[in-house]
Amino acid sequence: MHAQIVLFDGFDPLDVIAPYEVLYAGGTASGGAVSVELVSAEGPREVVSGTGGLVLRATGALDPGRAGLILVPGASGRVGEPGEVPGHDAGAAQWQQDEFIPVRMGRTLTTELPTLMKAAMDNPKVTVSAVCGGSLVLAMAGLLEGRHATTHHTGLDLLDATGVHAIRARIVDDGDLVTGAGVTSGLDLGLYLLEREVGPQIAHAVEELFAHERRGTVWRNQGPAPAGL
């Protein structure tokens, strides 16, 4: 399995690094059955995160035609208190000056990323994944309507408002779409993807290496719906 992890300006570093390390370790443990790279919609470049100006390098261009996994992170920056985030009628300068997370995610819509991710989601050989606000990036691009997904708990209402079946779970498996909740769920998401795509022994070996036990039940749209809880 080849994994492409997407970088965009303002990305959250932990959303990227946690699954990258898990998948890379999975490649080592599996004798090369997993490979992983950092990519961007624009191709090879230095990409500045939303956390302290930390820079990671995309070594390739996002290729929606390549079989495997594509993972989209969320953004980091200012969350903003109620009433603090600029309204829709605010001037462009105010939005640019205040580096709020929704602004950074929204800027991805002005790049080639939505077009490339639509092509990826139309490719039956690709599994799309997202960590934290990455689900919102895809939803804001109109790519998740009618799907089951999760995101950071503060964004569940927004996810639901875009026509997504927002699920309050650590990991949500919706077939060719697998999403993780808050930022640290990138570890759990990476381990689950290893188990699903490569096998439980590889996932367990990496879990042991990282001294991290996955949390929660992976939600799937299967079985009877709960009642009376």
Side-chain angles (χ1 to χ4, degrees):
M1 176 183 71
H2 182 70
Q4 303 178 73
I5 300 181
V6 179
L7 301 181
F8 58 83
D9 295 323
F11 70 91
D12 188 297
L14 190 56
D15 287 1
V16 171
I17 295 299
Y20 181 92
E21 288 213 37
V22 168
L23 294 172
Y24 186 88
T28 301
S30 63
V34 180
S35 56
V36 58
E37 66 175 328
L38 302 180
V39 300
S40 81
E42 298 78 17
R45 69 183 181 99
E46 304 290 322
V47 188
V48 182
S49 78
T51 302
L54 178 69
V55 175
L56 293 180
R57 177 166 179 77
T59 58
L62 172 60
D63 181 2
R66 184 167 185 177
L69 172 72
I70 297 176
L71 186 147
V72 180
S76 61
R78 298 182 63 195
V79 177
E81 298 297 328
E84 184 184 7
V85 178
H88 292 294
D89 58 347
Q94 187 178 0
W95 277 99
Q96 292 170 3
Q97 181 180 1
D98 297 321
E99 295 295 350
F100 292 97
I101 290 175
V103 177
R104 288 176 168 164
M105 291 192 299
R107 285 177 184 160
T108 65
L109 305 183
T110 67
T111 72
E112 289 299 311
L113 185 58
T115 300
L116 292 170
M117 290 309 302
K118 183 181 187 308
M121 297 192 75
D122 290 340
N123 186 347
K125 296 182 179 181
V126 171
T127 295
V128 171
S129 188
V131 182
C132 199
S135 301
L136 290 170
V137 169
L138 297 173
M140 291 163 64
L143 300 178
L144 298 189
E145 187 172 356
R147 303 298 300 266
H148 298 88
T150 191
T151 188
H152 191 277
H153 63 88
T154 61
L156 287 169
D157 289 344
L158 177 57
L159 194 64
D160 187 69
T162 65
V164 179
H165 299 294
I167 307 296
R168 188 178 290 271
R170 184 79 167 169
I171 305 294
V172 171
D173 184 338
D174 198 40
D176 60 357
L177 173 69
V178 186
T179 54
V183 61
T184 59
S185 69
L187 286 168
D188 300 316
L189 181 64
L191 288 165
Y192 174 67
L193 289 167
L194 281 181
E195 178 184 353
R196 195 181 95 147
E197 303 296 331
V198 185
Q201 293 188 55
I202 299 300
H204 181 261
V206 175
E207 186 177 85
E208 288 283 290
L209 176 66
F210 284 17
H212 173 78
E213 295 183 4
R214 282 189 285 162
R215 292 167 46 194
T217 300
V218 175
W219 188 97
R220 302 178 186 84
N221 190 25
Q222 299 174 0
L229 296 179

